[in-house]
Amino acid sequence: QRLPVAPDPAQAAIRVLRLSAAVRSRLTVPGTRILWPGKLTGAMANHTFDQVPDRPNFPQQEEEIIKYWAEIDAFQTALRESKDRKPYTFYDGPPFATGLPHYGHILAGTLKDVVTRYAHQTGHYVERRFGWDCHGLPVEQIIDQKLGVKNKDDVAKIGIKKYNEECEKIVMQYTGEWRQIITRLGRWIDFDNDYKTMDPSFMESGWWVFKQLHLKGMVYRAFRVMPYSTACCTPLANFEVSQNYKDVSDPSVIILFSRVGATNERFAVWTTTPWTLPSNLALTVNPELMYLRVQRKSDGMVLIVGKLRWDWVRETIKEDAAKFTVLEEVKGSSLVGIRYEPLLPYFKTKARDAAFQVIGGEFVTTDAGTCIVHTAPAFGEDDFGVCVKAGICDKDGDGMVCPIDDAGVFGPDVTDFAGKHVKAADKEIMKKLKGEDKVLHNGSEVHSYPHCWRSDTPLIYKAIPSWFVKVECIRDKLLANNEQTYWVPDNVKQKRFRNWLADARDWLVSRNRYWGLPIPLWVSEDFEEVICVGSVDELEQLSGVRVENLHRQFVDHITIPSKMGKGQLRRIPEVFDCWFESGSMPYAQVHYPFENKEKFEANFPAHFIAEGLDQTRGWFYTLMVLATHLFDKPAWQNLVVNGLVLAADGKKMSKRLKNYPDPVEVMDRVGADAIRMYLCNSGVMRAEPLKFQEQGVRDVVKDVFLPMYNSYRFLVQESYRYELATGKSFQPSKEKIRESTNQMDIWVYSACQSLITFVRQEMEAYRLYTVVPHLVNFINQLTNWHIRLNRDRMRGSGGDEEQLQALSCLYDVLLDTTVLLAPVVPFITETLYLNLRKALPEGDPRKERSVHFVMMPEPDTASVRMEVERQVKAMQTVVNLGRTIREKKKVGLKTPVKSLQVVSSDQQFLDDVVTMKSYIESELNVDSVETSADVSSGVTVTGKLDFATAAKKVGKDMKKVMEEVKKLTEADFVKFEQEGTITLAGYTLVTGDLKVTRECKGLGGDVESLSDETAMLHMDFKEDEDILQRALAREVANRVQKLRKEAKLVQDDPVVQFVVPG
């Protein structure tokens, strides 16, 4: 009931009372329809939709959806029903199950789930098998700690059989937790039909892969200096070294080596690895560089040092040039052959005669040190090469001294430091040398040093016999195959990965470990006879022994008779690098070629793979190498690289530091969908790092899920109103949408079709980083523009037919949006869909048991109205600028303003503003909107660089370009605006690089102005009595609404409103 306002509105007061049941019964007025809350709840069974809770509990709803999926066996049902469709092949990189999933796994899993769900919903059969990386150091490290294993002798005491049995026991210990967490995340993947790298079938295919490489002549054994982990007692491949560099403080010392036959003359030699000094066999100089013999005046000691490094040496030892006399300048070649006294005595009599002399090497440079390199062939690649050339040792290692064991501990030969780890011995070695007056400088320096990516301990370089797969000889093929692949983002392919392939080194595939795939090479003692076994059947044919398990304890004892009269061939003790197994997974997961041969070959390479940026030198690399060797093809067609997830402070996530929230707890608090969208709507999808913040996850709920949910709830509520008013069930109709002449209906339906087109286009290009922001923006458009501007129509203000038309439009775009969002946020979309589908007639292809069974919508291209979308965009531009003006003036929207003038040089924009004039007037509460094309009157035109875009073009010349911008006139800016291009400091800038803005010179009075690159607005805030009265009326209405909310009234609760004069 509407009552007159009191004569003195300024003193008016209002009260709202909720009516009791008794009062309601007395308010029935003939000819008036009152919709009581009781009628709404009492008629629920007859409504199209189920009732929707006011306040959703998203985590609880997600748990209910998981139960629902289990009831209908959703994932397996989807697979069964799509088995006759075109296959879409996806490879899942196998994680280790020795720890729980972290945000890196959740990110990669979400990305893979989004793409494969989308593939299913676009008419494909998508087999999704989970994989487990079961072998390797992560497992062995756990067992080493459990059994107290420190070296290979400890394993020998235990026995490989028991050791590997212990590994097998714990390898799958967290699979239950993985399954629970991944399922809770909403990812659909087959855990029951998974693959494991320790399965006999997987291992046999691994043997087959290696056999093919061996047959092609791509496998060889060599004695090389390799990166070596003393913690794990095994060498590492070069690509593994790049994964974990750290800044550390190491010794920086200058050691004095005494020249034989010259009294008090020393070679000054710089090193950062004192622990290698006991193994020194030579000093290396560059034959082409110049060297000095300088004498210290104080004691007559003569130093030999590189000429170009002499100043550095003096600065390091803090001595003036005046304290030295330059005796001679000689070429490095004249120093070659000079002998020196062994620094330490341990191998003086054991080394060859060629040792302990100066040799030549071109690797010696003037970049650091003294231009004289301490050379220990056991611990340096260059050292090994020059020593072999000088006859100090042979290629097979003969003549070389290596006094440390597999764990990096000095043996009995080095009597003073026996039993000490090399890194721990540095200080004691320096103490001994200092006591013998063999140290010129003892300092330290901080530098980047490689660490073992498994044990996080410093690596050393050590010469050991190893098995390699040739890679350098196929670099051109690798690069060519890389060009056949599509990457997101492309720069990772073209730069990081391409550069890595261009410099690819031969791959060290052997590991001196136990729990892994044994390398299937049976050899004679002299390695002259080598047999590579490629299958279980072949092993049985050659040895007469049939095995079902290929782990070391089952095959190490098997021998093969020599065909060259060399007795029995025995298997080499090494196992494969676990990267070889993960690189073999496309073939091994289906037991190719022993099974599924035709199926595999018909679907290779994979349509899609995805992992983190760190895998460019890991899994992506090994996949590419093996596929190129085997088939001269890449292993994948499309690849998405995600960035790394860091803690909120930008540091690496650490369980020890507890610097990130537990993902399971976040899912319990906020929901899995929120985590998924937070990740998908970030730069991490462009391979950029993400500083994870739980508040960002919460913001997704606040800014996206709640508005979307409230739009859905509003639809359901207004459908009830329609059904109660008409006595008809709500049956949305596309025909009515197409017949609508309402500008906002036409706009939102057209925008939805454009969105469908965009999502399909971008998902086909795997650009999730563009898809999700557009979906989020559309939800904002739907809730903050379409519904708000059409709320009265949807409530029946224009009659039943128009209400049905408006609600049909809202229903259709909400349903399409739900389906489009389903791959990204599978839970909330399922919740909405299971209710929304009730309005669909039987036989409608969109009516399924799950939103994830519904095919992606096809755009209704005939209904796309780009001119209407443009018009609404113009309206939104003006409204947003107008709201900003009000905020600057601190005048709320409840206060009307007299007029708004929109000024723009774009006549199309002005025409669009005129078309949307009524909406602008309503939204900004202005009495009239006028337009003008006169952009010069009372306006200053300026411009400034957009640094984010311009920097990509001008780079280091940014300052020069900025100076040129300062010199531009208003006419220059106007010309740039018209032509869209300008050249400054030699660089061509286009629209977007330089932003043109307009500022009002001052119109006076109560006019406030604001502009952007499109238009300038002048808003007149002059007040009169009429404006004040209307502002007060809006204020009264606003307070009534607030009181209704405080009283927890629903929309149709009647109230008595009255004014009490003050």
Side-chain angles (χ1 to χ4, degrees), residues 1004-1025:
D1006 293 308
V1007 176
E1008 190 76 26
S1009 302
L1010 188 67
S1011 70
D1012 66 1
E1013 62 273 10
T1014 306
M1016 170 165 276
L1017 270 62
H1018 304 303
M1019 190 174 283
D1020 187 354
F1021 287 93
K1022 185 176 181 180
E1023 293 183 344
D1024 57 25
E1025 186 61 26

Side-chain angles (χ1 to χ4, degrees), residues 210 213-214 216-221 467-470 521:
F210 190 69
L213 303 182
H214 190 267
K216 292 172 181 278
M218 294 296 165
V219 176
Y220 67 93
R221 181 178 185 266
W467 291 88
F468 294 83
V469 167
K470 294 180 182 178
L521 292 175

Side-chain angles (χ1 to χ4, degrees), residues 33 35 40 47-48 715-732 736 793-796 799-808 1052:
R33 183 178 64 204
L35 305 179
L40 292 180
H47 287 306
T48 299
L715 169 69
V716 172
Q717 287 178 333
E718 299 315 314
S719 73
Y720 289 177
R721 187 192 300 272
Y722 169 81
E723 290 172 336
L724 289 168
T726 63
K728 302 176 183 177
S729 62
F730 172 60
Q731 295 180 349
K736 289 195 176 295
R793 288 178 63 238
M794 294 175 187
R795 286 175 173 165
D800 296 341
E801 281 302 306
E802 186 164 353
Q803 183 182 19
L804 178 60
Q805 195 172 60
L807 290 177
S808 292
D1052 293 306

Side-chain angles (χ1 to χ4, degrees), residues 151-152 192 321 499 502 612 647 749 778 864 904 911:
N151 52 49
K152 64 180 181 181
D192 296 322
N499 292 342
Y749 188 68
F778 185 78
V864 174
S904 176
D911 292 343

